[in-house]
Amino acid sequence: MGTSERSERAAALRESVMQALAKARERHEGRLSRFLVTVEPDAIRAGLTKDDFYRAARPDLADQLSLSKLSRLQEILERAGVVEPTAEQGSELQRAILALSRITRTPERFRRTLPRRMFCLRRSYLVPRTVNVSFVEISAEDLTVRYQETRAGSLGAASQRAVLTGTVLHHDDLDDLYYVIGLNEFRTNFAVEEATSVHANLVALTILRQCERESFEAFEGIHLGVMPDNNPDHPSAPYAAKLLLVETEQSLPEAAHRGLIQNHAEDGLMTLAGWLPAERQRLARHLVPGCLSNDPDPAYDLLVADVTSGNPTPLD
């Protein structure tokens, strides 16, 4: 059984799968078991059991299924003709991204340390001279290593929440180098206009390396993505930012309650009251001067390409 997934996409998938299984039961004289006989070969190929189908059909048990299993169930039900094909935009791309790590062989030493919770620090692409702290969860399910990052920030009257879901890939010849390919969903709320702007299905790439070869407590790397539309200087422009990940004992709700998951002034980062003693020690060890410094943009300290003119040009 996979870990429970609480994203909006998972909730929509659960509802869709439950409705499709109810339709399948109706078509087979009220017996779900008769429907399962018809899809058994596909279920075996997808690594699903009868219990997965029965669990997905019950509202009190469906939330025990992971996003990966829900996606595989949805795909089988679509082929069986009991659900509208790909009702959610981007679901095929999401399934492809989540499946990518199945073709790589993640080192067992790394897999044994999962699940792992970490804080991710990078320059904010909304507010100059600030550092954004986000929350990362890395977990292993079957052959897939999943990566989910939750980020929040603000700019004047606008607040933003972004969730990146993806998969971790590994190259056999580079033991300490990991690639994260995922979809980044921005959700920006404008308090004055009382409106919400959502940017979904933006592909992002993160490249990570262990800060210390024999330890998984901290990673350094670079994240490449696209600016949110409410960035005042570079809306929807591609960018890259250095980042640092450090291990945490906190959960996402705990970290958010302590006021950590947001933008922070760079000079006050180490003195935040929300850090636990062990986290403060890790930051003191790995947050060395210049580790989050980027060029060439002078305001945001990010690597940014301006595409507003239609011709991508690196900023001087």
Side-chain angles (χ1 to χ4, degrees), residues 232-308:
D233 297 321
H234 312 292
S236 302
Y239 77 97
K242 290 183 182 178
L243 52 79
L244 173 71
L245 275 70
V246 293
E247 188 176 17
T248 176
E249 289 76 33
Q250 300 187 52
S251 66
L252 174 58
E254 290 169 341
H257 180 71
R258 289 171 172 262
L260 293 172
I261 311 304
Q262 60 186 42
N263 294 332
H264 300 280
E266 181 182 10
D267 55 5
L269 194 60
M270 287 297 297
T271 60
L272 293 175
W275 302 123
L276 298 178
E279 296 160 1
R280 203 180 298 276
Q281 292 175 6
R282 294 178 192 123
L283 287 171
R285 185 159 57 248
H286 299 291
L287 189 60
V288 297
C291 74
L292 299 181
S293 178
N294 300 269
D295 287 318
D297 186 77
Y300 293 87
D301 199 11
L302 298 169
L303 302 163
V304 183
D306 189 355
V307 295
T308 56

Coordinates of all heavy atoms in Angstrom, one line a residue, residues 232-308:
P232 N 6.8 40.6 -11.2 CA 6.7 41.9 -11.8 C 7.7 42.2 -12.9 O 7.4 43.1 -13.7 CB 7.0 42.9 -10.6 CG 7.8 42.1 -9.6 CD 7.3 40.7 -9.8
D233 N 8.8 41.5 -12.9 CA 9.8 41.8 -13.9 C 9.9 40.8 -15.0 O 10.2 41.1 -16.2 CB 11.2 42.0 -13.3 CG 11.2 43.1 -12.3 OD1 10.6 44.2 -12.6 OD2 11.8 43.0 -11.2
H234 N 9.7 39.5 -14.7 CA 9.9 38.5 -15.7 C 8.8 37.5 -15.7 O 9.0 36.3 -15.4 CB 11.2 37.7 -15.4 CG 12.4 38.6 -15.2 ND1 12.9 39.4 -16.2 CD2 13.1 38.9 -14.1 CE1 14.0 40.1 -15.7 NE2 14.1 39.8 -14.4
P235 N 7.5 37.9 -16.0 CA 6.4 36.9 -16.0 C 6.6 35.9 -17.0 O 6.9 36.1 -18.2 CB 5.2 37.8 -16.3 CG 5.7 39.0 -17.0 CD 7.1 39.2 -16.4
S236 N 6.4 34.6 -16.6 CA 6.4 33.4 -17.5 C 7.8 33.3 -18.2 O 7.9 32.7 -19.3 CB 5.3 33.5 -18.5 OG 4.1 33.6 -17.9
A237 N 8.8 33.8 -17.6 CA 10.2 33.6 -18.2 C 10.9 32.4 -17.6 O 10.7 32.1 -16.4 CB 11.0 34.9 -17.9
P238 N 11.7 31.7 -18.4 CA 12.5 30.6 -17.8 C 13.5 31.1 -16.9 O 14.1 32.2 -17.0 CB 13.1 29.9 -19.0 CG 13.1 31.0 -20.1 CD 11.9 31.9 -19.8
Y239 N 13.9 30.3 -15.9 CA 14.9 30.7 -14.9 C 15.6 29.5 -14.3 O 15.1 28.4 -14.5 CB 14.2 31.5 -13.7 CG 13.5 30.6 -12.7 CD1 14.1 30.2 -11.6 CD2 12.2 30.1 -13.0 CE1 13.5 29.3 -10.7 CE2 11.6 29.2 -12.2 CZ 12.2 28.8 -11.0 OH 11.6 27.9 -10.1
A240 N 16.6 29.7 -13.6 CA 17.3 28.7 -12.9 C 17.8 29.2 -11.5 O 18.2 30.4 -11.5 CB 18.5 28.1 -13.7
A241 N 17.7 28.4 -10.5 CA 18.2 28.9 -9.2 C 18.9 27.8 -8.4 O 18.5 26.6 -8.5 CB 17.0 29.3 -8.3
K242 N 20.0 28.2 -7.8 CA 20.7 27.2 -6.9 C 19.8 26.9 -5.7 O 19.0 27.8 -5.3 CB 22.0 27.8 -6.5 CG 23.1 27.9 -7.5 CD 24.4 28.4 -7.0 CE 25.5 28.6 -8.0 NZ 26.7 29.2 -7.5
L243 N 20.0 25.7 -5.2 CA 19.2 25.4 -4.0 C 20.0 24.5 -3.1 O 21.0 23.9 -3.4 CB 17.9 24.7 -4.4 CG 17.9 23.5 -5.4 CD1 18.3 22.2 -4.7 CD2 16.5 23.4 -6.1
L244 N 19.4 24.4 -1.8 CA 20.0 23.6 -0.8 C 18.9 22.8 -0.1 O 17.9 23.5 0.3 CB 20.8 24.4 0.2 CG 21.3 23.7 1.5 CD1 22.4 22.7 1.1 CD2 21.8 24.7 2.5
L245 N 19.0 21.5 0.1 CA 18.0 20.7 0.8 C 18.7 20.2 2.1 O 19.8 19.6 2.0 CB 17.5 19.5 0.0 CG 16.4 19.8 -1.0 CD1 16.8 20.6 -2.2 CD2 15.8 18.5 -1.5
V246 N 18.0 20.4 3.2 CA 18.5 19.8 4.5 C 17.4 19.0 5.1 O 16.2 19.4 5.1 CB 19.0 20.9 5.4 CG1 20.2 21.6 4.9 CG2 17.9 21.9 5.7
E247 N 17.8 17.9 5.8 CA 16.8 17.0 6.4 C 16.1 17.7 7.6 O 16.6 18.5 8.3 CB 17.5 15.8 6.9 CG 16.6 14.7 7.4 CD 17.4 13.4 7.8 OE1 18.6 13.5 8.0 OE2 16.8 12.4 7.9
T248 N 14.8 17.3 7.8 CA 14.0 17.8 8.9 C 13.3 16.7 9.6 O 12.9 15.7 8.9 CB 13.0 18.9 8.4 OG1 12.2 19.3 9.5 CG2 12.1 18.4 7.3
E249 N 13.0 16.9 10.8 CA 12.1 16.0 11.6 C 10.7 16.5 11.6 O 9.8 15.8 12.1 CB 12.6 15.8 13.0 CG 13.9 15.1 13.1 CD 15.1 15.9 12.7 OE1 15.1 17.1 12.9 OE2 16.1 15.3 12.2
Q250 N 10.4 17.7 11.0 CA 9.1 18.2 11.1 C 8.2 17.7 9.9 O 8.7 17.3 8.9 CB 9.1 19.8 11.0 CG 9.9 20.4 12.1 CD 9.8 21.9 12.1 OE1 8.7 22.5 12.0 NE2 11.0 22.6 12.1
S251 N 6.9 17.7 10.1 CA 6.0 17.5 9.0 C 5.6 18.8 8.3 O 6.0 19.9 8.8 CB 4.7 16.8 9.6 OG 4.0 17.8 10.4
L252 N 5.0 18.7 7.2 CA 4.6 19.9 6.5 C 3.7 20.8 7.3 O 3.9 22.0 7.4 CB 3.9 19.6 5.1 CG 3.3 20.7 4.4 CD1 4.4 21.8 4.1 CD2 2.7 20.2 3.1
P253 N 2.6 20.3 8.0 CA 1.8 21.2 8.8 C 2.5 21.8 10.0 O 2.3 23.0 10.3 CB 0.7 20.2 9.4 CG 0.6 19.1 8.4 CD 2.0 18.9 7.9
E254 N 3.5 21.0 10.6 CA 4.3 21.6 11.7 C 5.2 22.7 11.2 O 5.3 23.8 11.8 CB 5.1 20.5 12.3 CG 4.3 19.5 13.1 CD 5.2 18.3 13.5 OE1 6.2 18.0 12.9 OE2 4.7 17.6 14.4
A255 N 5.8 22.5 10.0 CA 6.7 23.5 9.5 C 5.9 24.8 9.1 O 6.4 25.9 9.3 CB 7.5 23.0 8.2
A256 N 4.7 24.6 8.5 CA 3.9 25.7 8.1 C 3.4 26.5 9.4 O 3.4 27.7 9.4 CB 2.7 25.3 7.3
H257 N 3.0 25.7 10.4 CA 2.6 26.4 11.7 C 3.7 27.2 12.3 O 3.5 28.2 12.9 CB 2.1 25.3 12.6 CG 1.6 25.8 13.9 ND1 0.4 26.6 14.1 CD2 2.1 25.8 15.2 CE1 0.3 26.9 15.3 NE2 1.3 26.5 16.0
R258 N 4.9 26.7 12.1 CA 6.1 27.5 12.7 C 6.5 28.6 11.8 O 7.5 29.3 12.2 CB 7.3 26.5 12.9 CG 7.1 25.5 14.0 CD 8.2 24.4 14.0 NE 8.1 23.6 15.2 CZ 8.8 23.7 16.3 NH1 9.7 24.7 16.3 NH2 8.7 22.9 17.3
G259 N 5.8 28.9 10.7 CA 6.1 30.0 9.9 C 7.3 29.9 9.0 O 7.9 30.9 8.6
L260 N 7.7 28.7 8.7 CA 8.9 28.5 7.9 C 8.7 28.4 6.4 O 9.5 28.9 5.6 CB 9.6 27.2 8.3 CG 10.2 27.1 9.8 CD1 10.6 25.7 10.1 CD2 11.3 28.1 9.9
I261 N 7.5 28.0 6.0 CA 7.2 27.7 4.6 C 6.8 29.1 3.9 O 5.6 29.3 3.7 CB 6.2 26.6 4.3 CG1 6.6 25.4 5.2 CG2 6.1 26.3 2.9 CD1 7.9 24.9 4.9
Q262 N 7.7 29.9 3.6 CA 7.4 31.2 3.0 C 8.7 31.9 2.6 O 9.8 31.3 2.8 CB 6.6 32.1 4.0 CG 7.4 32.4 5.3 CD 6.5 33.1 6.3 OE1 5.3 32.8 6.4 NE2 7.1 34.1 6.9
N263 N 8.7 33.1 2.2 CA 9.9 33.9 1.9 C 10.4 34.5 3.2 O 9.6 34.9 4.1 CB 9.6 35.1 0.9 CG 9.2 34.6 -0.4 OD1 9.6 33.5 -0.8 ND2 8.4 35.4 -1.1
H264 N 11.7 34.6 3.3 CA 12.4 35.1 4.5 C 13.5 36.0 4.1 O 14.2 35.7 3.0 CB 13.0 34.0 5.4 CG 11.9 33.1 5.9 ND1 11.1 33.3 7.0 CD2 11.6 31.8 5.5 CE1 10.3 32.3 7.2 NE2 10.6 31.4 6.3
A265 N 13.8 37.1 4.8 CA 14.9 37.9 4.6 C 16.2 37.1 4.7 O 16.3 36.3 5.7 CB 14.9 39.1 5.5
E266 N 17.1 37.3 3.8 CA 18.3 36.5 3.8 C 19.1 36.6 5.1 O 19.6 35.6 5.7 CB 19.2 36.8 2.6 CG 20.5 36.0 2.5 CD 21.3 36.4 1.3 OE1 21.0 37.5 0.7 OE2 22.3 35.7 1.0
D267 N 19.2 37.9 5.6 CA 20.1 38.1 6.8 C 19.5 37.6 8.1 O 20.1 37.5 9.1 CB 20.4 39.6 6.9 CG 19.2 40.5 6.9 OD1 18.1 39.9 7.0 OD2 19.4 41.7 6.9
G268 N 18.2 37.2 8.0 CA 17.5 36.7 9.3 C 17.2 35.2 9.2 O 16.5 34.7 10.1
L269 N 17.7 34.5 8.2 CA 17.3 33.2 7.9 C 17.8 32.2 9.1 O 17.0 31.4 9.6 CB 17.9 32.7 6.6 CG 17.4 31.4 6.0 CD1 15.9 31.5 5.7 CD2 18.2 31.0 4.8
M270 N 19.0 32.4 9.6 CA 19.5 31.5 10.6 C 18.9 31.7 12.0 O 18.9 30.9 12.8 CB 21.0 31.6 10.7 CG 21.7 31.0 9.5 SD 21.5 29.2 9.4 CE 22.2 28.6 10.9
T271 N 18.3 32.9 12.2 CA 17.7 33.2 13.5 C 16.2 33.0 13.6 O 15.6 33.3 14.6 CB 18.0 34.7 13.8 OG1 17.4 35.5 12.8 CG2 19.5 35.0 13.8
L272 N 15.6 32.4 12.6 CA 14.2 32.1 12.6 C 13.9 31.1 13.8 O 14.6 30.2 14.0 CB 13.7 31.4 11.3 CG 13.8 32.3 10.1 CD1 13.4 31.4 8.8 CD2 12.8 33.4 10.2
A273 N 12.8 31.5 14.5 CA 12.5 30.7 15.7 C 12.0 29.3 15.4 O 11.9 28.4 16.2 CB 11.4 31.4 16.5
G274 N 11.5 29.1 14.1 CA 10.9 27.8 13.8 C 11.8 26.6 13.6 O 11.4 25.5 13.6
W275 N 13.1 26.9 13.5 CA 14.1 25.8 13.3 C 14.2 24.9 14.5 O 14.3 25.5 15.6 CB 15.5 26.2 12.9 CG 15.6 27.1 11.7 CD1 16.1 28.3 11.6 CD2 15.2 26.8 10.3 NE1 16.1 28.8 10.3 CE2 15.5 27.9 9.5 CE3 14.6 25.6 9.7 CZ2 15.3 27.9 8.1 CZ3 14.3 25.6 8.4 CH2 14.7 26.7 7.6
L276 N 14.2 23.6 14.4 CA 14.6 22.7 15.5 C 16.1 22.7 15.7 O 16.8 23.1 14.7 CB 14.1 21.3 15.3 CG 12.6 21.2 15.1 CD1 12.2 19.7 14.8 CD2 11.8 21.7 16.3
P277 N 16.6 22.4 16.8 CA 18.1 22.4 17.1 C 18.9 21.6 16.0 O 19.9 22.1 15.5 CB 18.2 21.8 18.5 CG 16.9 22.2 19.2 CD 15.9 22.1 18.1
A278 N 18.4 20.4 15.7 CA 19.2 19.6 14.7 C 19.2 20.3 13.3 O 20.2 20.2 12.6 CB 18.5 18.2 14.6
E279 N 18.0 20.9 12.9 CA 18.0 21.6 11.7 C 18.9 22.8 11.6 O 19.5 23.1 10.6 CB 16.5 22.1 11.4 CG 15.5 20.9 11.3 CD 14.1 21.3 11.5 OE1 13.8 22.5 11.8 OE2 13.2 20.4 11.4
R280 N 19.0 23.5 12.8 CA 19.8 24.7 12.8 C 21.3 24.3 12.7 O 22.1 24.9 12.0 CB 19.6 25.4 14.1 CG 20.0 26.9 14.1 CD 19.8 27.5 15.5 NE 18.4 27.5 15.8 CZ 17.5 28.4 15.4 NH1 17.9 29.4 14.7 NH2 16.3 28.4 15.8
Q281 N 21.6 23.1 13.2 CA 23.0 22.6 13.1 C 23.3 22.2 11.7 O 24.4 22.5 11.1 CB 23.2 21.4 14.0 CG 23.2 21.7 15.5 CD 23.2 20.5 16.4 OE1 23.4 19.4 15.9 NE2 23.1 20.7 17.7
R282 N 22.4 21.6 11.0 CA 22.6 21.2 9.6 C 22.7 22.5 8.7 O 23.6 22.5 7.8 CB 21.4 20.4 9.1 CG 21.3 19.0 9.8 CD 20.2 18.2 9.3 NE 20.0 17.0 10.1 CZ 18.8 16.8 10.8 NH1 17.8 17.6 10.7 NH2 18.7 15.7 11.5
L283 N 21.9 23.5 9.0 CA 22.0 24.7 8.2 C 23.4 25.4 8.4 O 24.0 25.9 7.5 CB 20.9 25.7 8.6 CG 19.5 25.3 8.0 CD1 18.4 26.2 8.7 CD2 19.4 25.4 6.5
A284 N 23.8 25.4 9.7 CA 25.1 26.0 10.0 C 26.2 25.3 9.3 O 27.2 25.9 8.9 CB 25.3 26.0 11.5
R285 N 26.1 24.0 9.0 CA 27.1 23.2 8.4 C 27.1 23.3 6.9 O 28.1 23.3 6.2 CB 26.9 21.7 8.8 CG 28.0 20.8 8.3 CD 28.1 19.5 9.1 NE 26.9 18.8 9.1 CZ 26.1 18.6 10.2 NH1 26.5 19.1 11.4 NH2 25.0 17.9 10.2
H286 N 25.9 23.5 6.3 CA 25.8 23.4 4.8 C 25.4 24.7 4.2 O 25.6 24.9 3.0 CB 24.7 22.4 4.4 CG 25.1 21.0 4.9 ND1 26.2 20.3 4.4 CD2 24.5 20.2 5.8 CE1 26.2 19.1 5.0 NE2 25.3 19.0 5.9
L287 N 24.8 25.7 4.9 CA 24.4 27.0 4.3 C 25.6 27.9 4.4 O 25.6 28.9 5.1 CB 23.2 27.5 5.1 CG 22.5 28.8 4.4 CD1 22.0 28.5 3.0 CD2 21.4 29.3 5.3
V288 N 26.6 27.6 3.5 CA 27.8 28.4 3.5 C 27.6 29.6 2.7 O 26.8 29.6 1.8 CB 29.0 27.5 3.0 CG1 29.2 26.3 3.9 CG2 28.7 27.0 1.6
P289 N 28.4 30.6 2.9 CA 28.3 31.9 2.1 C 28.4 31.6 0.6 O 29.3 30.8 0.1 CB 29.5 32.7 2.5 CG 29.7 32.3 4.0 CD 29.4 30.8 3.9
G290 N 27.5 32.1 -0.2 CA 27.5 31.9 -1.7 C 26.8 30.7 -2.2 O 26.7 30.5 -3.4
C291 N 26.4 29.8 -1.3 CA 25.8 28.5 -1.8 C 24.5 28.7 -2.5 O 24.0 27.9 -3.3 CB 25.6 27.5 -0.7 SG 24.3 27.8 0.4
L292 N 23.8 29.9 -2.3 CA 22.5 30.2 -2.9 C 22.7 31.4 -3.9 O 21.7 31.9 -4.4 CB 21.4 30.5 -1.9 CG 21.0 29.4 -0.9 CD1 19.9 29.9 0.0 CD2 20.6 28.1 -1.7
S293 N 23.9 31.8 -4.1 CA 24.2 32.9 -4.9 C 24.1 32.6 -6.4 O 24.7 31.5 -6.8 CB 25.5 33.5 -4.6 OG 25.8 34.6 -5.5
N294 N 23.4 33.4 -7.2 CA 23.2 33.1 -8.6 C 23.6 34.4 -9.4 O 23.4 35.5 -8.9 CB 21.8 32.7 -9.0 CG 21.4 31.4 -8.3 OD1 21.5 30.4 -8.8 ND2 20.8 31.6 -7.1
D295 N 23.9 34.3 -10.6 CA 24.1 35.4 -11.5 C 23.3 35.0 -12.8 O 23.0 33.9 -13.1 CB 25.6 35.6 -11.9 CG 26.4 36.2 -10.7 OD1 25.8 37.1 -10.1 OD2 27.5 35.7 -10.4
P296 N 23.0 36.0 -13.7 CA 23.5 37.3 -13.7 C 22.5 38.4 -13.2 O 22.8 39.6 -13.2 CB 23.8 37.6 -15.2 CG 22.8 36.7 -15.9 CD 22.5 35.6 -15.0
D297 N 21.2 38.0 -13.0 CA 20.2 39.0 -12.7 C 20.5 39.7 -11.4 O 20.6 39.1 -10.3 CB 18.8 38.4 -12.6 CG 17.7 39.4 -12.4 OD1 17.3 40.0 -13.4 OD2 17.3 39.6 -11.3
P298 N 20.7 41.1 -11.4 CA 21.1 41.8 -10.2 C 20.1 42.0 -9.2 O 20.4 42.1 -8.0 CB 21.5 43.2 -10.8 CG 20.7 43.3 -12.0 CD 20.5 42.0 -12.6
A299 N 18.8 41.9 -9.5 CA 17.7 42.1 -8.5 C 17.3 40.9 -7.8 O 17.3 40.8 -6.6 CB 16.5 42.7 -9.2
Y300 N 17.1 39.8 -8.5 CA 16.6 38.5 -7.9 C 17.8 37.6 -7.6 O 17.5 36.6 -7.0 CB 15.6 37.9 -8.8 CG 14.3 38.7 -9.0 CD1 14.2 39.7 -9.9 CD2 13.3 38.5 -8.1 CE1 13.1 40.5 -10.0 CE2 12.1 39.2 -8.2 CZ 12.0 40.2 -9.2 OH 10.9 40.9 -9.2
D301 N 18.9 37.8 -8.2 CA 20.1 36.9 -8.0 C 19.7 35.5 -8.5 O 20.0 34.5 -7.9 CB 20.5 36.8 -6.5 CG 21.9 36.3 -6.4 OD1 22.6 36.2 -7.4 OD2 22.3 35.9 -5.2
L302 N 19.1 35.5 -9.7 CA 18.7 34.3 -10.3 C 19.2 34.3 -11.8 O 19.5 35.3 -12.3 CB 17.2 34.1 -10.4 CG 16.4 34.0 -9.1 CD1 14.9 34.1 -9.4 CD2 16.7 32.7 -8.4
L303 N 19.4 33.1 -12.3 CA 19.7 33.0 -13.7 C 18.4 33.1 -14.5 O 17.6 32.2 -14.4 CB 20.4 31.7 -14.0 CG 21.7 31.4 -13.2 CD1 22.1 30.0 -13.3 CD2 22.8 32.3 -13.8
V304 N 18.1 34.2 -15.2 CA 16.8 34.4 -15.8 C 17.0 34.7 -17.3 O 18.0 35.4 -17.7 CB 16.1 35.6 -15.2 CG1 14.7 35.8 -15.8 CG2 16.0 35.4 -13.7
A305 N 16.1 34.2 -18.1 CA 16.1 34.5 -19.6 C 14.8 35.3 -19.9 O 13.7 34.8 -19.6 CB 16.2 33.2 -20.4
D306 N 14.9 36.5 -20.4 CA 13.8 37.3 -20.6 C 13.2 36.9 -22.0 O 13.8 37.1 -23.0 CB 14.2 38.8 -20.6 CG 13.0 39.7 -20.7 OD1 11.9 39.2 -20.8 OD2 13.2 40.9 -20.6
V307 N 11.9 36.5 -22.0 CA 11.3 36.1 -23.2 C 10.1 37.0 -23.6 O 9.3 36.7 -24.5 CB 10.8 34.6 -23.2 CG1 11.9 33.7 -23.0 CG2 9.8 34.5 -22.0
T308 N 10.0 38.1 -22.9 CA 8.9 39.0 -23.2 C 8.9 39.6 -24.6 O 7.9 39.9 -25.2 CB 8.9 40.2 -22.2 OG1 10.1 40.9 -22.3 CG2 8.6 39.7 -20.8

